[in-house]
């Protein structure tokens, strides 16, 4: 066990990366469950390795459920041969992330993500069915491009990120923050006096958005409008019987 | 005449043809088409009137009084750098006025003739645009006030000559002839330009007024640096040799006959080729200080005249006979220019220059006449010019016949006609140079003997051409369509006018003595009384002329089989003359072939050595790019992966910084 | 209330990396867009977590903006994909590899290029005629109509659509 505490990062990266690599679509298919379990084991080891300040039990359980769901769905999404299933896994991954948002005192965000992504995903989903599936499985979904190189590169970054996280020890930051409250620039983005982030979520977010970020909100609205016009302009005209 | 009006008249002489050229070039091809000659005619008529006004206004006090004066019409400052100060301005003195009166008059007559001759040619407008441009350049050349400005228009006439020789540029021989003329002239121009540089370093000026118009200073400089003056004279002579087709740069002129015949008449007989004579005559004050240069001028003239006359004996192409005759007569003018040595007398330079200019003047008229008459023959014969293919045309083409005869007689030097007077003056100048105490008087005697011999040859070949063309059995080539037509009035009238000029202008001028009396108003030329006729010389020249014409009559009219017998008897000599003394071949062997070899060698070096080095260098980046090129595979995810690699590097650096922090 | 924030960061980082991995390995244009969305999820999660660590709503506000931009991006990406699909009749990103260095081979394998062209659309069905009627001349009238309707005039694919030829032979 001591050895594992020394080397948990490398082991977890190898486990997770190997599992994902195992799952990559290729001409010969390995049993998928093995890869999934290996990858998840690696993910668990990562979370274990990062030291955390404890929370209450209910939240912890919920976190593990949603985190497992998010990671597993993400892995399955990027490795599935069938784009329709991949889109479905993406929807599930989104739902799990929304659960994590909920746990992190962001219920509005969770709801908004569900609504926006549900809409977007449904549209995407319809497109996938209409475009890709009309003539059966396609060759280009059956082979991952450069699986080994891509996996190595991706998990190298993950290792670097986790290494930084381990060294920074953000829990200490949090503790230091709690000891010296009020050292922050944007007052309107703080919870109301006497309240915490969890108590005051909706009102606090509203105050932050329409107080500190009013101008940005207007800008984002304009951006949406422009993007809508652009999408209409770019989208090709339909010609007789084609999509 | 008020000064400003005189300036206006001077400016009008070149600018009227220039305006005609611009109008014709802009409007001719689309708008005027068949009427394209009208601007040219009008511009040239204006120039002629102005030239004659100038001729009579420039020497106001009568011909007899001697005062050198030049009228300068101001223009604008062109170059003012350091000590070099060149203005674009017109400068006219007696020599300029004489040249202008000849150039514009002949140009106008040729332009009228050309309207008939070029009728129906697709490049009609282009012809008259180039023609007017040439007249502009030529007028500016003689009106220039400095050597540099003269050089500009020296090149300008060369350009127009190139354009007009290559007028039928679809014809390969015409294009080659134009190129040859241009390239051969480059050799002369090279010497001319260096001569101008030397003039500037010696005199610190390129103005005629400074260089030629200050005799004291000139004499001092010549005494201090005789070698320098000789070098300047020889370099200027090189330029003049190129332009005036003197040996060994004479090879371009016969080929230039590829151009339309009016062009041959104007540019390659009357005007442009005399520019070299004009320059040497203009620089007489310089040349008198270098007896060496003078004798070189004389000898080159003699050699050229002799060679050209010998070649002209056997040519079958009528225009080529005339072309070699032109070269020969230009050689005559150079002989005269070279004979103006101070050793003979103080007045000798003026007399010699007068003789040369006089011959230039008369020659312009009768040679233009001969060329135009030859053009009329071509016109009637369907562009056939080979004398073996036609004959006995005197009945079919009466006007052409009589005018050609007038020109031929004038050229041959038949007594009392133009050529007789001017040739006589040249012989006189040569004789007095030969009988002087000059150290080179032996050369002058030799050249004098040659000149007499050439007078005989000239009479012979001129009348040979005349008899072969207009006498004997009547024959027409198939191209003529069996009904040769006489020249239309637009062509006939210039012939008539020129014939009158060729017949009488020499006698008129020589007997009145007005030419020398007029010309000595040129700067740097001392006053000289015309010596009058030397009866001995007159007798000799008349004798050789009669001999030449008689021989021609005997060989080509009385006994037509004699020439072929003679040719068989003297086969090598005949072949040498027929093949232009092999000059083109000799030049090819000693100049063109080695240069081609050198060019081939340089090309080989470039291809093999230089290119290998460059290609080798170009291989280096190719090797270096072998690795990054793999990532440039067009796949978007690959590019993302490369970006991701950058992210890895940044994060790794961040981790290290973080750890050290 | 607090606790385990670091683990949220781990999940965020893992989602980000997995999204990138999907972007690298998938060739389906739509799945590449979805992978990019997955990366955005990871980033959003991280922002929310940071905001929580700093006891501030800034992280959530930022996530709202990410959501907005993601929605714009999805809309534009879908219309672009649609345009690309109309020209290539495939969702393969490797089809659009014209910007590669000259001389390099196309990333699509030869059999893949064949494979797409061999995908045959379902055969056309014609109404069954009564036995007494005469058989219409398909080549002359109906066949021509069908061909006209299907001939790609306005939006010609870059590669000639062999499947059409297949159909024609089927109808014959």
């Amino acid at each position: 066990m001591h050895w594992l505490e020394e080397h948990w990062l490398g082991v977890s990266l190898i486990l997770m990366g190997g599992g994902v690599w195992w799952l990559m679509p290729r001409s010969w298919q390995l049993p998928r469950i093995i890869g999934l379990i290996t990858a998840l084991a690696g993910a668990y080891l990562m979370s274990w390795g990062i030291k955390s300040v404890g929370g209450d039990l209910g939240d912890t359980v919920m976190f593990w459920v949603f985190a497992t769901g998010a990671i597993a769905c993400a892995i399955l999404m990027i490795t599935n041969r069938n784009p329709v299933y991949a889109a479905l896994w993406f929807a599930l991954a989104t739902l799990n992330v929304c659960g994590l948002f909920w746990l992190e005192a962001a219920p509005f965000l969770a709801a908004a993500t569900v609504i926006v992504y549900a809409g977007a995903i449904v549209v995407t989903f319809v497109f996938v069915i209409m475009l890709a599936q009309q003539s059966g499985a396609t060759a280009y979904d059956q082979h991952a491009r450069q699986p080994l190189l891509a996996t190595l590169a991706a998990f190298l970054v993950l290792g670097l990120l986790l290494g930084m996280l381990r060294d920074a020890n953000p829990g200490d930051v949090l503790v230091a923050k709690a000891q010296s409250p009020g050292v922050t620039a944007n007052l309107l983005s703080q919870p109301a006096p006497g309240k915490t982030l969890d108590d005051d979520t909706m009102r606090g977010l509203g105050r932050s958005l329409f107080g500190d970020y009013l101008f940005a909100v207007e800008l984002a609205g304009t951006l949406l409008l422009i993007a809508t016009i652009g999408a209409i302009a770019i989208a090709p005209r339909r010609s007789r019987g084609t999509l | 005449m008020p000064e400003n009006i005189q300036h206006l008249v001077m400016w009008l002489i070149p600018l009227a043809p220039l305006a005609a050229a611009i109008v014709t070039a802009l409007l001719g091809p689309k708008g005027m088409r068949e009427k394209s000659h009208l601007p040219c005619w009008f511009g040239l008529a204006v120039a002629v009137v102005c030239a004659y006004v100038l001729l009579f206004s420039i020497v106001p006090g009568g011909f007899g009084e001697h005062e050198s004066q030049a009228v300068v019409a101001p223009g604008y400052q062109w170059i003012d750098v350091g000590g070099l100060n060149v203005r674009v301005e017109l400068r006219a003195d007696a020599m300029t006025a004489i040249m202008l009166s000849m150039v514009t008059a002949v140009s106008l007559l040729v332009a009228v003739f050309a309207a008939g001759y070029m009728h129906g040619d697709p490049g009609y407008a282009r012809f008259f645009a180039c023609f007017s441009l040439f007249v502009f350049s030529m007028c500016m050349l003689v009106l220039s006030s400095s050597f540099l400005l003269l050089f500009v228009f020296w090149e300008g006439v060369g350009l127009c000559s190139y354009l007009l020789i290559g007028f039928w540029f679809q014809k390969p021989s015409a294009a080659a002839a134009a190129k040859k003329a241009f390239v051969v002239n480059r050799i002369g121009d090279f010497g001319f330009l260096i001569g101008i540089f030397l003039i500037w370093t010696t005199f610190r000026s390129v103005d005629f007024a400074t260089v030629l118009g200050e005799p004291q200073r000139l004499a001092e400089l010549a005494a201090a640096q005789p070698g320098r003056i000789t070098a300047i004279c020889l370099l200027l002579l090189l330029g003049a040799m190129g332009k005036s087709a003197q040996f060994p740069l004479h090879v371009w002129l016969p080929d230039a006959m590829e151009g339309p015949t009016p062009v041959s008449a104007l540019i390659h007989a009357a005007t442009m080729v005399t520019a070299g004579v004009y320059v040497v005559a203009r620089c007489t004050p310089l040349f008198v200080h270098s007896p060496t240069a003078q004798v070189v001028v004389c000898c080159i003239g003699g050699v050229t005249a002799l060679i050209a006359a010998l070649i002209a004996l056997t040519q079958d192409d009528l225009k080529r006979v005339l072309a070699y005759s032109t070269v020969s007569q230009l050689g005559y003018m150079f002989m005269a220019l070279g004979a103006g040595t101070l050793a003979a007398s103080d007045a000798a330079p003026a007399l010699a220059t007068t003789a040369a200019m006089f011959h230039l003047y008369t020659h312009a008229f009768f040679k233009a006449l001969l060329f135009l008459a030859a053009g009329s023959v071509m016109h009637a014969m369907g562009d056939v010019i080979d004398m073996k293919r036609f004959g006995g045309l005197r009945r079919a083409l009466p006007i052409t016949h009589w005018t050609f005869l007038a020109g031929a007689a004038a050229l041959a030097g038949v007594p009392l006609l133009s050529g007789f007077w001017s040739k006589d003056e040249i012989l006189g100048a040569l004789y007095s140079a030969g009988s002087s105490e000059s150290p080179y008087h032996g050369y002058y005697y030799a050249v004098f003997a040659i000149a007499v011999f050439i007078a005989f040859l000239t009479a012979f070949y001129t009348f040979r051409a005349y008899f072969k063309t207009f006498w004997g059995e009547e024959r027409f080539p198939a191209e003529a369509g069996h009904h040769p037509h006489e020249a239309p009035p637009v062509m006939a009238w210039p012939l008539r006018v020129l014939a009158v000029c060729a017949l009488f202008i020499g006698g008129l001028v020589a007997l009145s003595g007005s030419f020398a009396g007029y010309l000595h108003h040129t700067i740097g030329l001392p006053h000289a009384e015309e010596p009058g006729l030397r009866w001995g010389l007159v007798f000799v020249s008349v004798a050789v002329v009669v001999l030449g014409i008689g021989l021609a009559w005997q060989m080509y009219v009385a006994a037509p089989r004699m020439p072929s017998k003679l040719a068989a008897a003297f086969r090598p000599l005949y072949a040498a003359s027929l093949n232009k003394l092999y000059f083109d071949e000799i030049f090819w062997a000693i100049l063109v072939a080695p240069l081609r070899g050198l060019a081939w060698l340089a090309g080989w070096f470039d291809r093999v050595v230089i290119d290998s080095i460059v290609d080798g260098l170009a291989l280096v980046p190719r090797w270096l790019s072998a690795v990054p090129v793999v990532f440039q595979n067009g796949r978007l995810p690959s590019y993302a992966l490369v970006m991701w690699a950058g992210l890895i590097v940044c994060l790794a650096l961040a981790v290290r910084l973080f750890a050290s922090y | 209330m607090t606790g385990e924030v670091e683990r949220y960061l781990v999940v965020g980082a893992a989602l980000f990396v997995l999204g990138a991995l999907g972007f690298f390995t998938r060739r389906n244009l739509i799945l590449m867009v979805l992978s990019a969305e997955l990366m955005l999820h990871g980033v959003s999660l991280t922002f929310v977590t940071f905001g929580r660590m700093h006891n501030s709503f800034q992280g959530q506000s930022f996530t709202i903006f990410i959501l907005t931009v993601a929605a714009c991006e999805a809309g534009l990406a879908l219309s672009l994909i649609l345009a690309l699909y109309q020209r290539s009749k495939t969702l393969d990103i490797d089809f659009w590899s014209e910007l590669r260095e000259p001389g390099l081979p196309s990333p699509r394998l030869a059999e893949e290029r064949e494979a797409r062209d061999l995908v045959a659309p379902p055969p056309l069905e014609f109404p069954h005629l009564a036995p007494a009627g005469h058989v219409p001349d398909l080549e002359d009238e109906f066949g021509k109509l069908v061909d006209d309707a299907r001939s790609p005039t306005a939006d010609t694919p870059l590669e000639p659509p062999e499947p059409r030829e297949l159909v024609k032979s089927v109808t014959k």
Side-chain angles (χ1 to χ4, degrees):
Chain A
M1 240 15 210
H2 182 71
W3 175 84
L4 198 58
E5 281 188 14
E6 283 286 309
H7 298 287
W8 63 270
L9 186 54
V11 173
S12 63
L13 284 176
I14 289 170
L15 279 178
M16 194 170 170
V20 173
W21 179 80
W22 183 280
L23 285 168
M24 287 280 173
R26 50 173 76 84
S27 49
W28 36 274
Q29 188 58 66
L30 300 162
R32 294 174 67 79
I33 190 70
I34 297 173
L36 187 60
I37 288 172
T38 315
L40 283 179
Y44 285 133
L45 191 55
M46 276 173 208
S47 297
W48 176 78
I50 299 290
K51 297 288 180 291
S52 277
V53 182
D56 65 34
L57 185 64
D59 279 0
T60 310
V61 171
M62 293 293 274
F63 166 77
W64 286 112
V65 170
F66 284 134
T68 309
I71 302 279
C73 291
I75 290 172
L76 289 173
M77 172 217 151
I78 63 168
T79 56
N80 206 299
R81 288 159 180 261
N82 190 332
V84 180
Y85 284 121
L88 277 174
W89 285 124
F90 175 72
L92 272 179
T94 306
L95 282 179
N96 280 301
V97 172
C98 288
L100 291 175
F101 283 161
W102 184 281
L103 288 180
E104 289 210 279
F108 174 76
L109 210 50
T113 307
V114 167
I115 292 165
V116 170
Y117 272 86
I121 289 310
V122 167
V123 172
T124 316
F125 191 65
V126 169
F127 267 97
V128 171
I129 288 174
M130 285 197 297
L131 296 182
Q133 293 302 99
Q134 63 182 3
S135 54
T138 48
Y140 49 87
D141 279 324
Q142 308 303 316
H143 298 278
R145 201 52 103 170
Q146 297 170 317
L148 191 61
L149 184 62
T151 312
L152 278 178
F155 281 92
L156 195 53
V157 168
L158 185 56
L160 287 166
L161 287 174
L162 290 183
M164 288 174 82
L165 192 57
R166 179 191 58 190
D167 297 341
N169 212 351
D172 295 351
V173 178
L174 203 63
V175 171
K177 193 99 185 156
Q179 285 165 355
S180 62
V183 188
T184 168
N186 299 66
L187 267 177
L188 284 173
S189 293
Q190 304 288 332
K195 297 203 172 175
T196 62
L197 216 56
D198 300 77
D199 300 338
D200 201 21
T201 53
M202 296 298 281
R203 222 168 65 94
L205 183 60
R207 238 173 22 161
S208 172
L209 272 180
F210 296 106
D212 279 344
Y213 297 106
L214 182 61
F215 185 59
V217 168
E218 296 297 333
L219 229 88
T222 316
L223 179 69
L224 266 175
L225 179 67
I226 293 170
T228 312
I229 297 169
I232 293 169
I234 292 171
R237 304 287 161 275
R238 248 186 239 197
S239 69
R240 286 170 300 181
T242 58
L243 187 67
Chain B
M1 178 181 280
E3 200 176 43
N4 54 349
I5 295 193
Q6 200 169 25
H7 294 170
L8 181 68
V9 164
M10 280 167 70
W11 274 109
L12 264 178
I13 295 171
L15 291 188
L18 178 64
I22 292 171
V23 168
T24 315
L26 292 181
L27 300 180
K30 298 281 178 215
M32 292 188 283
R33 297 174 193 275
E34 296 302 308
K35 304 265 183 272
S36 298
H37 56 269
L38 292 179
C40 183
W41 285 9
F42 181 72
L44 291 181
V46 170
V48 170
V49 171
C50 292
Y52 279 90
V53 168
L54 187 67
L55 183 68
F56 290 107
S57 73
I58 202 135
V59 184
F63 289 172
E65 297 168 18
H66 180 250
E67 43 178 314
S68 299
Q69 62 169 6
V71 183
V72 176
Y76 71 101
Q77 189 82 26
W78 178 25
I79 300 175
D80 188 9
V81 181
L84 184 63
N85 186 346
V86 181
R87 289 173 306 280
V88 176
E89 61 187 10
L90 304 183
R91 181 185 176 287
D93 58 12
M95 191 185 281
T96 306
I98 288 174
M99 284 293 286
L100 280 177
S101 64
M102 181 273 283
V103 168
T104 52
V106 175
S107 301
L108 179 62
L109 291 169
V110 174
V112 173
F113 179 89
Y117 186 84
M118 300 300 291
H119 185 78
D121 193 281
Y124 196 69
R126 180 161 57 92
F127 178 85
F128 281 101
C130 294
F131 195 95
S132 307
L133 188 64
F134 167 78
V135 179
F136 159 71
S137 302
M138 190 68 203
C139 291
M140 284 302 287
L141 191 154
V142 293
L143 279 166
S144 299
S145 67
S146 67
F147 280 99
L148 206 59
L149 201 59
L150 183 139
F151 183 73
V152 170
F153 292 99
W154 181 269
E155 296 297 328
V157 293
L159 168 72
C160 295
S161 159
Y162 171 83
L163 291 174
L164 286 167
I165 294 172
F167 180 73
W168 289 309
F169 53 85
Q170 299 93 338
K171 207 162 68 169
S173 60
K179 214 159 57 181
K180 186 173 180 180
F182 208 70
V183 171
V184 173
N185 266 302
R186 287 282 76 67
I187 301 171
D189 295 346
F190 163 74
F192 196 63
L193 199 54
I194 294 182
I196 292 173
F197 293 159
L198 261 185
I199 286 173
W200 192 73
T201 52
T202 311
F203 296 90
R204 290 286 142 191
S205 170
V206 289
D207 279 355
F208 290 148
T210 317
V211 177
L212 306 172
E214 297 171 11
Q216 284 301 116
R217 181 162 173 250
L218 191 57
E220 285 164 18
L221 276 168
Q225 304 166 295
R228 177 72 70 91
I229 298 294
T230 304
I232 291 172
C233 289
L234 290 180
L235 286 167
L236 290 180
L237 173 65
L238 186 60
M241 280 159 63
K243 196 58 85 189
S244 290
Q246 296 298 293
F247 172 83
L249 301 181
H250 66 278
V251 286
W252 67 269
L253 186 55
D255 288 6
M257 297 301 126
E258 292 288 347
T261 306
V263 171
S264 309
L266 178 66
I267 300 183
H268 305 121
T271 53
M272 187 193 81
V273 288
T274 60
V277 181
Y278 165 76
V279 164
V280 176
R282 169 65 77 198
C283 298
T284 304
L286 270 180
F287 276 80
V288 292
H289 291 290
S290 172
T292 319
Q294 281 192 315
V295 78
V296 170
V297 172
C298 193
C299 290
I300 282 177
V303 171
T304 310
L306 182 62
I307 286 171
L310 286 175
I311 296 173
L313 289 179
T314 56
Q315 297 300 310
D316 286 325
D317 182 327
L318 180 55
K319 273 179 78 178
R320 271 180 198 271
V321 174
L322 296 178
Y324 279 108
S325 160
T326 305
V327 176
S328 178
Q329 298 302 311
L330 290 168
Y332 240 87
M333 296 171 208
F334 273 87
M335 281 190 247
L337 288 171
T341 169
L342 279 173
S345 69
D346 284 347
L351 286 177
T353 308
T354 308
M357 290 303 290
F358 188 24
H359 195 57
L360 189 159
Y361 198 75
T362 56
H363 172 258
F365 286 99
F366 59 68
K367 191 52 67 68
L369 168 63
L370 283 171
F371 266 111
L372 292 188
S376 175
V377 170
M378 273 178 83
H379 195 250
M381 293 295 116
D383 282 343
V384 173
I385 197 62
D386 189 346
M387 287 188 289
K388 282 185 292 197
R389 296 186 56 195
F390 51 72
L393 302 182
R394 66 182 186 281
R395 284 184 226 294
L397 308 173
I399 301 171
T400 311
H401 167 236
W402 283 112
T403 50
F404 192 96
L405 179 61
L411 170 60
V414 171
L416 306 183
L417 303 188
S418 292
F420 167 77
W421 303 103
S422 53
K423 197 173 290 181
D424 191 61
E425 284 200 15
I426 290 177
L427 290 176
L430 282 171
Y431 184 79
S432 46
S435 55
S436 68
E437 279 101 49
S438 161
Y440 302 109
H441 69 95
Y443 291 99
Y444 287 120
Y445 266 133
V447 173
F448 171 72
I450 290 173
V452 174
F453 181 53
I454 292 166
F456 162 71
L457 291 180
T458 306
F460 175 75
Y461 69 67
T462 310
F463 275 85
R464 168 180 174 270
Y466 165 71
F467 288 135
K468 283 189 82 163
T469 306
F470 293 99
W471 289 73
E473 180 196 351
E474 199 172 61
R475 283 178 296 141
F476 304 129
E479 289 87 338
H482 301 289
H483 288 289
H485 49 282
E486 177 56 286
V490 72
M491 288 162 69
W493 277 106
L495 288 176
R496 291 187 180 115
V497 174
L498 278 172
V500 171
C501 291
L503 291 175
F504 301 118
I505 206 163
L508 201 68
V509 173
L511 290 179
S512 65
S514 56
F515 201 86
Y518 189 86
L519 195 67
H520 71 230
H521 293 284
T522 308
I523 53 162
L525 288 184
H527 178 57
E529 286 301 322
E530 295 228 28
L533 291 176
R534 291 188 176 88
W535 290 105
L537 282 176
V538 170
F539 174 74
V540 170
S541 75
V542 169
V544 294
V545 166
V546 170
L547 196 63
I549 296 175
L551 189 61
W553 168 268
Q554 176 67 26
M555 281 175 70
Y556 293 97
V557 180
R561 288 168 60 192
M562 203 167 128
S564 49
K565 278 188 205 158
L566 277 176
F570 302 100
R571 174 143 296 281
L573 292 178
Y574 178 78
S577 172
L578 190 63
N579 292 308
K580 308 158 206 166
L581 298 182
Y582 301 109
F583 271 114
D584 283 341
E585 286 77 5
I586 292 169
F587 279 8
W588 201 93
I590 63 172
L591 287 177
V592 180
L595 277 176
R596 281 215 180 147
L598 190 66
W600 184 86
L601 201 68
W604 177 85
F605 186 78
D606 183 51
R607 269 196 315 280
V608 176
V609 181
I610 307 281
D611 282 5
S612 302
I613 293 172
V614 174
D615 290 349
L617 283 178
L619 281 179
V620 174
R622 176 166 290 196
W623 288 335
L624 292 180
S625 70
V627 175
V629 90
V630 174
F631 297 106
Q632 193 73 23
N633 57 5
R635 286 194 71 236
L636 199 63
S638 287
Y639 298 156
L641 200 56
V642 174
M643 222 164 89
W644 193 256
L647 178 66
I648 291 175
V649 172
C650 291
L651 277 179
L653 286 175
V655 168
R656 285 196 52 167
L657 283 177
F658 207 80
S660 67
Y661 178 69
Chain C
M1 63 122 199
T2 58
E4 304 178 348
V5 282
E6 295 88 348
R7 287 177 180 152
Y8 289 90
L9 293 179
V10 173
V11 175
L15 285 178
F16 176 75
V17 165
L18 286 173
L21 186 52
F23 192 84
F24 298 149
T25 55
R26 299 314 296 250
R27 290 167 57 187
N28 192 315
L29 277 167
I30 289 179
L31 289 189
M32 285 173 72
V33 174
L34 287 185
S35 298
E37 302 285 350
L38 195 60
M39 291 171 80
L40 286 180
H41 278 333
V43 175
S44 302
L45 197 54
T46 312
F47 267 119
V48 172
T49 310
F50 282 151
R52 196 156 172 240
M53 284 163 67
H54 289 275
N55 197 29
S56 159
F57 285 105
Q58 279 171 316
Q60 293 190 30
S61 300
F62 210 98
T63 308
I64 297 274
F65 293 125
I66 291 181
L67 210 62
T68 315
V69 174
C72 299
E73 177 224 310
L76 287 172
L78 281 176
S79 46
L80 282 172
I81 288 172
L82 203 56
L84 291 176
Y85 181 80
Q86 279 214 340
R87 290 176 66 84
S88 67
K89 300 293 172 203
T90 175
L91 288 174
D92 189 358
I93 183 70
D94 287 352
F95 185 89
W96 303 99
S97 55
E98 300 301 315
L99 280 177
R100 65 179 179 272
E101 189 74 15
L104 287 182
S106 167
R108 307 177 76 209
L109 302 172
E111 66 265 24
E112 288 175 348
R113 286 195 289 273
E114 294 292 320
R116 185 182 72 82
D117 298 340
L118 287 180
V119 176
L124 291 168
E125 288 190 8
F126 298 115
H128 292 282
L129 293 166
H134 80 282
V135 179
D137 193 347
L138 291 181
E139 275 301 308
D140 279 352
E141 298 166 18
F142 203 67
K144 191 184 265 178
L145 279 177
V146 171
D147 275 356
D148 282 351
R150 275 189 280 103
S151 62
T153 48
D155 307 289
T156 314
L158 286 184
E159 291 179 3
E162 280 87 359
R164 307 289 182 218
E165 306 298 323
L166 260 170
V167 173
K168 206 170 180 185
S169 63
V170 168
T171 53
K172 277 177 190 171

